[in-house]
Amino acid sequence: MSDLPKSYEPADIEPRWYAEWMARGYFHADAAAPKAPFAMVIPPPNVTGSLHMGHALGDTIEDLFTRWRRMAAYNAMWLPGSDHAGIATQMVVERELRAKEKKSRHDIGREAFVERVWQWRRETGDRIFAQLKKLGCSLDWDRATFTMDPPYSAAVVEAFVRLYEEGLIYRARRLINWCPNDRTALSDLEVDYDEGTQGELYEFAYPLADGSGEVVVATTRPETMLGDTAVAVHPDDPRHREKIGKLVRHPIVNRQFPVIADAILVDPKFGTGAVKVTPAHDPNDFEVGLRHNLPMISIFDEKGVVNAEGGPFAFMDRFAARKAVKARLKELGLERGSKPHVHAVGHCQRCETVVEPMLSTQWFVKMEPLAKPAIEAVEQGKTKFVPESWSKTFFHWMHNIRDWCISRQLWWGHRIPAWYCKCGETTVARTAPGACGKCGATELKQDDDVLDTWFSSWLWPFATLGWPNETRELKTFYPTTMLDTGYDILFFWVARMLMAGLHFMKKVPFRTVYLHTMVTDEKGEKMSKVKGNTIDPVEVIDKHGADALRFALAWLTTHAAQGKNIKFSMSNVEDARRFANKIWNAARFALMNLPGYDADRFADRIADGPDRAELDLPERWILSRVQRVSEEVDGALEEYRIADAAQAAYHFIWNELCDWYIELAKAGLAKASGDSEADLIARSKIQGTLVTALETAMRLLHPFMPFITEEIWQKLPKPSGAPQSIMITLYPVRDVRFHDDASEASMALVQKIIVAIRNIRQERNIPTSTRLRLVLAVGDDYKKTILEGYQSIIAEHARCSEVRVRRSGGSGEYNVGQTAMAMAGDVEVIVPLEGLVDTAGEKAKLEKQIEKAVRDRDHLRKKLNDPNFTGRAPAEVLEKDRARLAEAEAAIARLELALQRLVGGAS
RNA sequence: AGGCACGUAGCUCAGUGGAAGAGCACUACCUUGACACGGUAGGGGUCGGCGGUUCAAUCCCGCCCGUGCCUACCA
């Protein structure tokens, strides 16, 4: 007897099973196991991070695939870890230091600060791991890796040194993106452009040095004029042609510089046709500076404050200087105008400070040689994107790739393995060199900078498996099978991993890249703490359970078209929770109805399929259906159609197993409630089928909802020798013995008939307590025989006292004018309604049905009379349409007959 | 500026060259011994607009309108 509570309470069940699975070591994959590998690495969350909805989505998808493959007998390995997240982590610890001790990192020094970060990590880092466990993630925790672990750090150094030795890493003075707030260089990808910033196009005049006039320039950043070293015009612009080669006089700092001609920089149609050139603070101007060999004058320090080059404006902040410079120009009578101007302004991805282009010496990775093999690998299908359309975006970026600035002026991260000698020699080495290789000096100074966090992340799929050592792990699990991640880090991470994997391992790092969408709030707005529209997955789990959250996300995970996202709301979770409750109650029903059931005996009975087991229609039908749905779910997962898989499982469980089979089983069990041997056998067939269908459904659903399926699975009776956990069972596989087209067709007809009767009842307001007498009229004896076999099922479910089946066309079987009639496929469903009939109403209903059938018939006739159609359409389409036409014609005939009788009877 | 997508039921979204689908919402009825976190039945869409290809178009092609996203140095 079941003592299950009436509704499902996940909080009691989930933590218990996760602990049990851990204890039994189910998450661990042995690299030496003689099984086909399925390997995946987690996109490592920041150590500072806590689980947000984006993680919840990705990790649900990843766990879903890991569990699914594990149940298909793969050696499934999902590798966990976390990322040291340079800037983010440094900022967190700095903030804490300031709050607790009112000190800056500079106050305590680099060594002490880095120790502080380690201490912070020991105390509060990897909080997210506990949250991943709550979500049910079956990660191989023994392999958890942190990007600052000593072996991983060694791999980072190894990668740097190799690339340096190969000439793919170089140090150069370039114009880079600088964040004056974080005081570090950024890569191009770390700059977000704020499209549509309302700015000003300000015009002012540079006087020509010879006094022959002036040249008016237009700029959005007047303050950078302090660093101007040229004015550029288009060589063919008649307005400016005679000024080319002349000098202008800088009105504020004591300097003269030329008017130059540059057809690349200058668009004569824009602004005044003359451009001020600031090579040290603008990427385009930098290029001009190189082309024309102009001086490059940096006018800001690392905080974005004007330096000594700014003359009277020194020590002013960038934005204060802008105002001051404008005011001064006005005083000097050089202001020439201003108009509003919308343009894109770059912001630091991390702190949103306006990025300053600065001239600076940094380390770079030469990307083109790395990009080429990655492009080819994707072209050749060695790595596939899902959805496929992302490969276009990938190619576009890869073909236009630029060198990657990898040095960061931070303290937290992998320190650049380069040492400088007073003699000017640079030594790049795996360990600190004892002396300069050139001059022998022993006082070498290591580069102060650390590497971009992504420089360690791009090694993730192989550095986590022991690279550069040749490990068993690498041999077994590299290349990994799939990678799942959000499309927002396609360039940051996926593309770079492809490049690093091909370069260092000579093989792609993953066969398939599944890119999932972004999760937003229900209005489609990005979730953010500032906006206050975040949904905390941990709170959701506490309230509704991890299974509900996971299923809600899976249900919504359709292929990620660009610019689309998952609009997530709590109602999605509530729906999923209702589903969990439904499953729970289906299991309760089963468990309440199993007294006397012997799982071993049923297993014997069913061992050779449903024929030998002598099952009845409902049993044959549901076993065929669970089989078909299993294949559907499995097939959908093969194609990464996650929502389709979730929805197929959902509809099977709710609309077939619960709505129909359990109802059919109730009647069957009631009928066979006695103690006779016959009853016992009849009962056991139903019990066995119910348990089998439910057990299969639980396995099917386990990757989506691991906890509830385990809980129920454990409670179901199983034949002796069954596995200890649903986690280590086999995923439902194709078994053609249970395919039963005939039973599915018969059941579909029975269902149609029952629905037609319920419809009649509903429309006429006939209460369920009124037992109906039913007549089914069919066109041939074959169908008559079949339906006669299902009379009792129909009677039970449509609440009829009597069901008669006869050939159609006869008369006198029911009282004229006293019946309701409807078509269920080609079966006439006739319900005598003595004394209950509203003749006018019946007439209207019949007419409506006729009208629809006539519409169908006319449409089909027209089609089938068109030789163009019959001549060109494929045979099966013609056949189908002819059958439909025949059905429509028969329906019209029978409905019209019924109408005539009705009218005749009433008159 | 270039590129990639999208426009299907009130809402959120699937879908396919051969009779329009789901979840939620809505309407009516039902406290039936698995479940009211439930059941039964139902209403609701010229599949953004206009052309074209085809025997057949929501699906393929072109144009237009609208929306979103990505990349890019427009002073």
Side-chain angles (χ1 to χ4, degrees):
Chain A
M1 261 311 188
S2 166
D3 53 357
L4 295 184
K6 234 174 135 170
S7 41
Y8 176 58
E9 287 306 329
D12 305 338
I13 285 160
E14 295 185 348
R16 182 156 49 77
W17 280 117
Y18 197 88
E20 187 65 33
W21 294 330
M22 282 277 272
R24 296 194 202 166
Y26 290 159
F27 300 157
H28 182 65
D30 181 353
K35 292 196 281 187
F38 171 87
M40 179 167 54
V41 291
I42 199 172
N46 291 354
V47 270
T48 52
S50 61
L51 197 76
H52 56 59
M53 285 305 298
H55 294 124
L57 173 64
D59 296 320
T60 293
I61 292 167
E62 290 153 35
D63 192 51
L64 164 59
F65 279 96
T66 305
R67 287 179 184 270
W68 173 58
R69 293 290 79 181
R70 189 184 289 118
M71 287 175 76
Y74 282 83
N75 191 18
M77 192 281 291
W78 182 22
L79 190 143
S82 56
D83 193 296
H84 67 281
I87 302 183
T89 309
Q90 176 163 322
M91 275 166 56
V92 166
V93 179
E94 275 187 285
R95 202 179 307 132
E96 197 185 73
L97 186 66
R98 204 173 306 124
K100 280 189 184 158
E101 301 176 31
K102 304 213 183 315
K103 282 182 186 163
S104 78
R105 67 185 159 110
H106 301 281
D107 293 333
I108 66 171
R110 182 168 188 154
E111 207 174 314
F113 180 76
V114 169
E115 180 42 44
R116 268 304 238 290
V117 182
W118 278 109
Q119 190 188 327
W120 177 88
R121 167 177 152 69
R122 280 190 295 271
E123 284 161 12
T124 52
D126 294 341
R127 189 177 25 176
I128 199 167
F129 285 179
Q131 298 172 324
L132 290 170
K133 290 173 183 172
K134 274 193 100 143
L135 190 61
C137 296
S138 59
L139 286 151
D140 190 346
W141 292 107
D142 299 343
R143 302 182 187 280
T145 304
F146 177 49
T147 52
M148 291 279 280
D149 285 341
Y152 199 99
S153 296
V156 171
V157 169
E158 180 68 27
F160 185 97
V161 174
R162 283 196 199 177
L163 289 172
Y164 179 79
E165 287 168 351
E166 290 159 356
L168 292 172
I169 280 184
Y170 62 94
R171 192 166 184 243
R173 190 165 169 80
R174 289 270 183 89
L175 200 69
I176 48 87
N177 303 295
W178 183 267
C179 175
N181 182 52
D182 299 336
R183 296 190 218 169
T184 179
L186 302 172
S187 68
D188 296 332
L189 283 176
E190 288 165 293
V191 180
D192 289 335
Y193 285 89
D194 206 349
E195 197 75 36
T197 301
Q198 186 56 250
E200 172 190 35
L201 194 63
Y202 180 82
E203 293 176 5
F204 69 91
Y206 271 122
L208 289 167
D210 63 6
S212 62
E214 63 181 34
V215 53
V216 179
V217 295
T219 178
T220 53
R221 300 194 56 195
E223 74 280 12
T224 61
M225 63 87 72
L226 298 169
D228 282 359
T229 54
V231 170
V233 298
H234 195 276
D236 303 331
D237 190 338
R239 292 173 296 176
H240 301 298
R241 202 179 296 148
E242 74 286 358
K243 297 172 194 159
I244 296 169
K246 289 189 173 179
L247 293 175
V248 299
R249 181 176 56 79
H250 198 290
I252 293 172
V253 294
N254 185 24
R255 183 159 77 229
Q256 294 194 354
F257 47 79
V259 177
I260 59 170
D262 193 292
I264 299 171
L265 178 73
V266 183
D267 170 8
K269 290 189 286 294
F270 188 89
T272 61
V275 186
K276 57 187 276 310
V277 180
T278 323
H281 295 289
D282 181 277
N284 289 316
D285 294 3
F286 177 73
E287 295 298 324
V288 175
L290 292 179
R291 283 199 290 275
H292 297 268
N293 203 19
L294 299 172
M296 301 193 179
I297 302 171
S298 291
I299 58 162
F300 299 121
D301 68 8
E302 81 280 359
K303 291 180 220 162
V305 171
V306 179
N307 63 21
E309 293 287 350
F313 303 98
F315 308 113
M316 289 179 97
D317 175 76
R318 296 182 280 177
F319 301 105
R322 181 174 300 173
K323 279 188 194 154
V325 166
K326 278 166 65 180
R328 181 74 186 129
L329 286 169
K330 193 172 182 182
E331 270 172 41
L332 293 168
L334 294 169
E335 192 175 272
R336 290 293 177 271
S338 161
K339 52 187 161 202
H341 180 61
V342 175
H343 60 137
V345 175
H347 296 261
C348 173
Q349 188 190 42
R350 195 54 54 192
C351 70
E352 294 183 9
T353 301
V354 174
V355 162
E356 186 62 47
M358 296 267 262
L359 203 53
S360 174
T361 301
Q362 302 286 345
W363 290 90
F364 296 88
V365 181
K366 209 169 177 177
M367 297 306 274
E368 253 189 68
L370 295 170
K372 227 181 137 215
I375 291 167
E376 284 165 8
V378 175
E379 278 170 351
Q380 292 162 9
K382 288 176 181 160
T383 292
K384 288 192 180 67
F385 287 99
V386 178
E388 203 278 326
S389 60
W390 286 104
S391 50
K392 282 187 193 163
T393 311
F394 169 81
F395 287 134
H396 184 255
W397 189 72
M398 292 294 273
H399 283 299
N400 295 290
I401 200 159
R402 292 186 297 170
D403 286 357
W404 175 16
C405 175
I406 51 169
S407 41
R408 296 288 178 276
Q409 287 64 52
L410 305 172
W411 288 351
W412 176 241
H414 301 100
R415 195 147 169 194
I416 290 173
W419 285 264
Y420 307 112
C421 177
K422 271 184 277 186
C423 77
E425 180 71 359
T426 297
T427 309
V428 169
R430 287 165 181 82
T431 53
C436 173
K438 195 173 175 191
C439 72
T442 51
E443 275 179 38
L444 300 181
K445 190 179 181 313
Q446 187 174 2
D447 195 310
D448 279 328
D449 294 347
V450 301
L451 290 162
D452 180 3
T453 300
W454 296 104
F455 189 88
S456 56
S457 319
W458 75 333
L459 313 174
W460 189 247
F462 48 95
T464 49
L465 297 172
W467 186 87
N469 302 310
E470 285 178 26
T471 60
R472 180 78 211 220
E473 269 65 22
L474 276 174
K475 240 182 140 171
T476 303
F477 298 124
Y478 192 93
T480 63
T481 316
M482 72 175 278
L483 177 84
D484 161 74
T485 191
Y487 64 73
D488 55 334
I489 53 175
L490 176 60
F491 306 138
F492 274 109
W493 195 44
V494 180
R496 286 168 177 168
M497 280 191 288
L498 262 165
M499 291 187 267
L502 283 161
H503 187 75
F504 294 112
M505 295 294 297
K506 308 295 170 213
K507 281 185 194 164
V508 292
F510 22 71
R511 303 287 181 207
T512 300
V513 178
Y514 179 83
L515 292 164
H516 63 249
T517 37
M518 302 296 108
V519 184
T520 65
D521 74 3
E522 59 205 302
K523 290 183 221 128
E525 284 180 43
K526 205 176 162 188
M527 289 190 189
S528 87
K529 282 182 190 155
V530 180
K531 274 192 241 169
N533 62 345
T534 53
I535 294 178
D536 178 0
V538 176
E539 280 176 28
V540 174
I541 291 170
D542 287 339
K543 195 165 173 200
H544 297 291
D547 284 336
L549 175 60
R550 291 169 61 117
F551 195 78
L553 288 166
W555 178 279
L556 295 168
T557 301
T558 52
H559 277 183
Q562 251 194 24
K564 285 227 137 189
N565 40 40
I566 292 178
K567 293 186 181 75
F568 189 84
S569 85
M570 280 308 289
S571 72
N572 298 125
V573 181
E574 286 154 16
D575 296 344
R577 184 180 182 149
R578 273 197 288 279
F579 178 45
N581 195 57
K582 188 75 180 175
I583 298 168
W584 185 251
N585 278 289
R588 280 183 73 220
F589 172 80
L591 294 168
M592 281 174 187
N593 286 284
L594 293 180
Y597 175 65
D598 184 330
D600 283 315
R601 272 174 69 183
F602 186 77
D604 275 353
R605 177 182 283 282
I606 204 77
D608 294 319
D611 292 338
R612 296 283 296 279
E614 298 178 315
L615 300 182
D616 292 333
L617 177 69
E619 283 67 42
R620 298 181 64 110
W621 168 74
I622 197 70
L623 291 177
S624 181
R625 287 302 306 148
V626 75
Q627 193 45 236
R628 286 262 157 66
V629 172
S630 297
E631 287 162 26
E632 196 182 333
V633 172
D634 198 60
L637 291 177
E638 290 280 3
E639 292 168 13
Y640 301 90
R641 289 181 289 113
I642 297 168
D644 286 350
Q647 293 180 21
Y650 173 96
H651 283 119
F652 170 73
I653 290 172
W654 202 309
N655 303 119
E656 300 196 276
L657 185 60
C658 292
D659 288 352
W660 284 98
Y661 185 68
I662 286 183
E663 295 307 318
L664 292 163
K666 279 179 191 170
L669 288 169
K671 211 188 296 168
S673 60
D675 295 329
S676 69
E677 183 64 20
D679 274 5
L680 213 66
I681 291 172
R683 217 152 58 218
S684 88
K685 287 181 194 171
I686 297 170
Q687 291 170 325
T689 300
L690 186 57
V691 170
T692 302
L694 194 56
E695 193 270 348
T696 309
M698 290 305 96
R699 280 184 287 132
L700 198 59
L701 202 58
H702 178 258
F704 301 85
M705 305 177 94
F707 296 109
I708 189 174
T709 52
E710 175 76 293
E711 178 72 11
I712 290 171
W713 189 88
Q714 291 288 341
K715 290 189 183 333
L716 291 175
K718 287 172 286 289
S720 39
Q724 292 299 298
S725 161
I726 194 173
M727 262 195 78
I728 54 170
T729 58
L730 282 175
Y731 205 65
V733 290
R734 187 180 169 82
D735 184 346
V736 289
R737 293 171 312 160
F738 289 91
H739 287 181
D740 190 339
D741 291 335
S743 294
E744 291 199 32
S746 297
M747 193 62 201
L749 182 61
V750 168
Q751 288 174 322
K752 252 190 212 166
I753 290 167
I754 292 169
V755 168
I757 301 160
R758 285 174 180 163
N759 184 1
I760 286 171
R761 207 186 264 283
Q762 198 92 22
E763 282 186 342
R764 280 117 184 135
N765 265 320
I766 304 166
T768 23
S769 53
T770 306
R771 296 274 157 170
L772 300 172
R773 280 170 43 228
L774 176 68
V775 178
L776 300 174
V778 294
D780 59 72
D781 287 332
Y782 174 70
K783 207 154 231 162
K784 181 166 176 277
T785 312
I786 291 178
L787 282 180
E788 276 165 352
Y790 307 138
Q791 279 165 316
S792 64
I793 293 176
I794 294 167
E796 185 65 37
H797 291 275
R799 303 199 172 255
C800 300
S801 55
E802 180 192 345
V803 177
R804 297 169 65 189
V805 186
R806 64 164 178 78
R807 288 288 299 269
S808 58
S811 61
E813 291 272 355
Y814 47 89
N815 292 332
V816 168
Q818 296 289 306
T819 54
M821 194 277 221
M823 300 298 296
D826 56 356
V827 176
E828 279 173 81
V829 175
I830 302 154
V831 180
L833 301 167
E834 292 86 351
L836 299 169
V837 168
D838 158 18
T839 309
E842 288 307 320
K843 187 168 171 264
K845 274 162 198 153
L846 284 170
E847 277 167 350
K848 206 176 149 195
Q849 289 184 65
I850 290 168
E851 202 182 302
K852 191 188 175 306
V854 166
R855 256 204 320 271
D856 280 1
R857 182 199 61 192
D858 292 349
H859 172 71
L860 288 161
R861 265 191 194 158
K862 202 177 150 199
K863 244 173 112 176
L864 286 162
N865 283 336
D866 181 353
N868 273 329
F869 174 64
T870 50
R872 299 185 198 228
E876 67 261 31
V877 172
L878 285 174
E879 206 175 309
K880 225 169 154 184
D881 277 355
R882 288 202 181 103
R884 283 171 53 205
L885 178 59
E887 191 173 301
E889 281 170 339
I892 291 164
R894 293 178 209 176
L895 288 162
E896 273 176 345
L897 192 63
L899 185 63
Q900 278 169 25
R901 282 174 182 149
L902 180 69
V903 176
S907 61

